[in-house]
Amino acid sequence: IIMADELPTEFDAIVLGTGMAESILAAALARCGQKVLHLDRNDYYSGDWATFNWDGLQRWITRQTHPAVQAINAAEETNPVECSKLEEGETALLVPQQANTTSNLEMFTYVKEKAEEPPPVEKESQEQEETTTVQEEEQTPAMAEETQQQIQTTDDSEQTSDEGELPAKATPETVETEAKDGNKDSNKCEEEKQDSQAQTSSSVQQEVQGKAEQHPPKKTGPKTWTMDDIHKEWRRFNIDLSPKMLFGRGSLVELLITSNISRYCEFKAVSRILTLLNGKLEQVPCSRADVFSSKFVTVLEKRMLMKFLTFCVEYEQHPEEYQGWEEKPFSEYLQSRQLTPNLQHFVFHAIAMATRDATTQEGLKSTRRFLQSLGRYGNTPFLWPLYGPGELPQCFCRMCAVFAGIYCLRRAAKELVIDKDRNKCKGIICTEGQRISCRWIVMQGSYVPNKCRKPESPVRSVSRAIFFTDRSLKASENEQITLLSIPPAEGRNFPVRAVELGNGASACPKGMFVVHLTCQGTGTAKSDLHPAAQQLFQPLDEEEADSESDKPKVLWCVYFNQLDSTDCDPSTLYTGLPDNVVVTSGPGVDLGYEQAVQQARSLFEQMCPGEEFLPAAPNPEDIIYEDDDGYKSGEAPSSSDNSEENGNDSEWKPDQDKLDEGGAGGANDGSQGASGGEAQGGDVDLPQGGDV
């Protein structure tokens, strides 16, 4: 990372934006020896894929809604380009300095700013009640102990009195008779003593029980939060703009393993998948063990479900099973397989997570992708990046920096320098006024000059919402990372996906949960997601939480829309871009990272044909550096130098076998890293550092 004002003037590639696809591509270019300059106009990494703490999220919200930012965006569309660093035959394209990917942002607060203190009179009475209760609780054990002492004293006195009464004259006959009478009296006294102790103990227990009924223990419900409490805990939040998960056998997990980038990140396994069935949240049986241990599925349904899921894993090998259904609705195909309504719901909404108009081909493909990732790292197919998905682009940025990539935040391209005759981008003029030359430009879609955007481009949107709640969607003994798919409402095509995170995922403080809602946008984010929020949470317009309700109370929320160009061909969005300028897309609505990885791979092949895409990086301890004298790290000086410096004429030779072994060890370790090595969790391909 360069902190100086002046940067080198020539690079192979300049990358604008630190989103997922740009960061993967930058790491791949640097890994194959390209000189890379990676710029971002923001003061944070990851762009629309970012993860913020509470204060960072508030600053991001302010930037999206501040009138000055909107004015800058409007002025950039009309300002003429004036650049003094252009040469003859060159022209400039103005690069937007503010992102325009977020819209319809609405924020709501449902808790008080600060906790209200009770009036002085009520406060004093409350303190007196608490003092009285404490005193009674302290006296109750003391009273019981005192009563037991009194019982013991009475018994001792009776025993002493009995022993002191002896007859004046004792003959053998009288002694024998009195001994018998004494035994009877002793037994009688012992019975009376036990009865007295039982009665006293019973009376003490009744007294304690009566006082306990008068002052029953208070139930501990969810914590009552205020905005002041949230502000104080601002460092404990990791809030995602685009919450996504990794499929256990998805392309991103494989790339992290083969490139050895997994050393930079940690993961947790998603512990449960829920679905909304008949108005109730039910856990979806995913694995074979879940299916056969589920009480919600009958024995007959278990057999039917296992048979169908086994077919889905190998559906391409049995085309006769779905011949003629390829383009028909997946929901109708499930009915034709004679699955019960419950099983149809589980497969369609919770496993395939399909849209209402999904075809059979699409549904079977989604189901197979789900099943193939099951059991690799946990009981579900998914992994969650610890500290949020915004960490993943930074992992690839670290790899790029290791291989001499240069990073600058709060600095971006102000203009693109274009060769008029060849329609090539020759470089950029950065925001500091420096001209930098390059062979390739990689930019996220929001950096594309307004002059090159088509006015009526077919761009969709993603509706997102972030909720802070006081309890989990479905209570359990252990905290869970939860994925929930809500079936689309009547008249809608797209389901709503919910991700719930707690303190164990480092998403928020203890006693709070963060719930993300996502769906394909058809209107504003609030209009798309508010119906789902009403199904999951307590009424949003009530300030006080209902302690008897199982549903969570919403403390704070924000709705917003993101542009989605993942399924669009760049030629349908942009026009007039130079041939050596490539554009990447944003997060999109998909749950995984398959699209970003595939896009980065295809662009790399276009820019560096024939080169390997992100080969395994060597471990730091295997890298050999040379100093100014030409010595390698871990290697002794030559024999002549050693003799002269130490005054020793005897010849010194390094152990050549060890040197050869060390040189070969780097390659061996690198290949072992590519295959994942021996990892935790019983799976050889677990990314290093995984917390599952």
Side-chain angles (χ1 to χ4, degrees), residues 528-583:
D528 288 338
L529 299 174
H530 187 69
Q534 289 179 316
Q535 289 181 283
L536 297 178
F537 308 125
Q538 294 183 23
L540 300 178
D541 54 355
E542 295 183 6
E543 190 173 85
E544 297 296 332
D546 183 2
S547 58
E548 301 298 328
S549 175
D550 294 333
K551 294 183 177 181
K553 160 70 178 170
V554 176
L555 312 174
W556 176 91
C557 74
V558 61
Y559 299 89
F560 60 95
N561 288 96
Q562 279 184 341
L563 290 182
D564 180 13
S565 59
T566 52
D567 293 334
C568 299
D569 188 342
S571 61
T572 63
L573 302 177
Y574 316 114
T575 180
L577 280 176
D579 298 336
N580 60 339
V581 174
V582 296
V583 183

Side-chain angles (χ1 to χ4, degrees), residues 18 167 230 252 267 292 319 419 460 469 477 488 499 509 580 652 685:
T18 53
I230 294 176
L252 183 55
F267 302 92
F292 286 102
D419 187 327
R460 301 183 302 180
T469 64
E477 295 181 1
V499 176
N580 60 339
W652 182 91
D685 291 332

Side-chain angles (χ1 to χ4, degrees), residues 477-544:
E477 295 181 1
N478 300 320
E479 185 180 297
Q480 310 273 357
I481 299 178
T482 303
L483 174 64
L484 165 65
S485 181
I486 305 173
E490 194 65 32
R492 295 178 180 267
N493 183 41
F494 303 102
V496 175
R497 183 174 65 245
V499 176
E500 183 185 65
L501 308 165
N503 178 258
S506 302
C508 57
K510 288 185 178 180
M512 184 186 294
F513 290 84
V514 177
V515 179
H516 297 273
L517 297 185
T518 305
C519 75
Q520 189 69 59
T522 57
T524 65
K526 185 180 179 183
S527 63
D528 288 338
L529 299 174
H530 187 69
Q534 289 179 316
Q535 289 181 283
L536 297 178
F537 308 125
Q538 294 183 23
L540 300 178
D541 54 355
E542 295 183 6
E543 190 173 85
E544 297 296 332

Side-chain angles (χ1 to χ4, degrees), residues 399-642:
M399 177 59 69
C400 178
V402 166
F403 288 91
I406 296 178
Y407 281 81
C408 286
L409 299 181
R410 296 186 297 274
R411 181 181 293 195
K414 188 177 181 181
E415 294 107 5
L416 301 181
V417 179
I418 309 298
D419 187 327
K420 294 180 181 179
D421 298 332
R422 299 187 302 157
N423 193 29
K424 294 281 187 180
C425 180
K426 300 176 66 175
I428 65 169
I429 307 297
C430 70
T431 50
E432 303 298 324
Q434 182 182 1
R435 175 165 174 159
I436 304 174
S437 301
C438 65
R439 296 191 301 110
W440 288 93
I441 291 283
V442 180
M443 62 173 62
Q444 197 271 334
S446 63
Y447 287 84
V448 174
N450 293 320
K451 187 177 180 181
C452 298
R453 298 175 185 269
K454 290 187 176 181
E456 297 181 357
S457 55
V459 178
R460 301 183 302 180
S461 70
V462 181
S463 293
R464 301 191 187 276
I466 305 169
F467 297 85
F468 294 172
T469 64
D470 65 346
R471 71 196 84 174
S472 176
L473 291 170
K474 187 176 179 64
S476 63
E477 295 181 1
N478 300 320
E479 185 180 297
Q480 310 273 357
I481 299 178
T482 303
L483 174 64
L484 165 65
S485 181
I486 305 173
E490 194 65 32
R492 295 178 180 267
N493 183 41
F494 303 102
V496 175
R497 183 174 65 245
V499 176
E500 183 185 65
L501 308 165
N503 178 258
S506 302
C508 57
K510 288 185 178 180
M512 184 186 294
F513 290 84
V514 177
V515 179
H516 297 273
L517 297 185
T518 305
C519 75
Q520 189 69 59
T522 57
T524 65
K526 185 180 179 183
S527 63
D528 288 338
L529 299 174
H530 187 69
Q534 289 179 316
Q535 289 181 283
L536 297 178
F537 308 125
Q538 294 183 23
L540 300 178
D541 54 355
E542 295 183 6
E543 190 173 85
E544 297 296 332
D546 183 2
S547 58
E548 301 298 328
S549 175
D550 294 333
K551 294 183 177 181
K553 160 70 178 170
V554 176
L555 312 174
W556 176 91
C557 74
V558 61
Y559 299 89
F560 60 95
N561 288 96
Q562 279 184 341
L563 290 182
D564 180 13
S565 59
T566 52
D567 293 334
C568 299
D569 188 342
S571 61
T572 63
L573 302 177
Y574 316 114
T575 180
L577 280 176
D579 298 336
N580 60 339
V581 174
V582 296
V583 183
T584 61
S585 56
V589 74
D590 289 343
L591 177 61
Y593 293 87
E594 318 311 307
Q595 193 274 339
V597 174
Q598 179 58 37
Q599 186 178 47
R601 187 185 297 271
S602 62
L603 292 177
F604 176 81
E605 293 172 355
Q606 177 184 343
M607 298 170 65
C608 302
E611 294 287 344
E612 185 180 0
F613 180 69
L614 269 177
N619 295 316
E621 60 271 17
D622 297 330
I623 300 176
I624 299 177
Y625 301 95
E626 292 187 0
D627 59 17
D628 295 337
D629 297 328
Y631 299 139
K632 296 180 180 180
S633 59
E635 183 178 306
S638 64
S639 59
S640 58
D641 293 341
N642 187 64

Side-chain angles (χ1 to χ4, degrees), residues 62-79 94 96-100 450:
T62 301
R63 278 193 288 266
Q64 308 307 315
T65 58
H66 200 281
V69 175
Q70 307 300 328
I72 292 175
N73 290 337
E76 287 176 348
E77 298 181 2
T78 57
N79 287 345
L94 192 64
Q97 298 305 301
Q98 296 292 333
N100 56 354
N450 293 320

Side-chain angles (χ1 to χ4, degrees), residues 10 41 80 118 142 186 256 283 312-313 355 361 373 431-432 479 524 542 554 589 668:
E10 292 186 2
R41 60 193 166 205
S186 175
L256 289 170
Q283 185 161 347
C312 289
V313 174
T355 59
Q361 189 76 28
S373 296
T431 50
E432 303 298 324
E479 185 180 297
T524 65
E542 295 183 6
V554 176
V589 74
N668 292 337

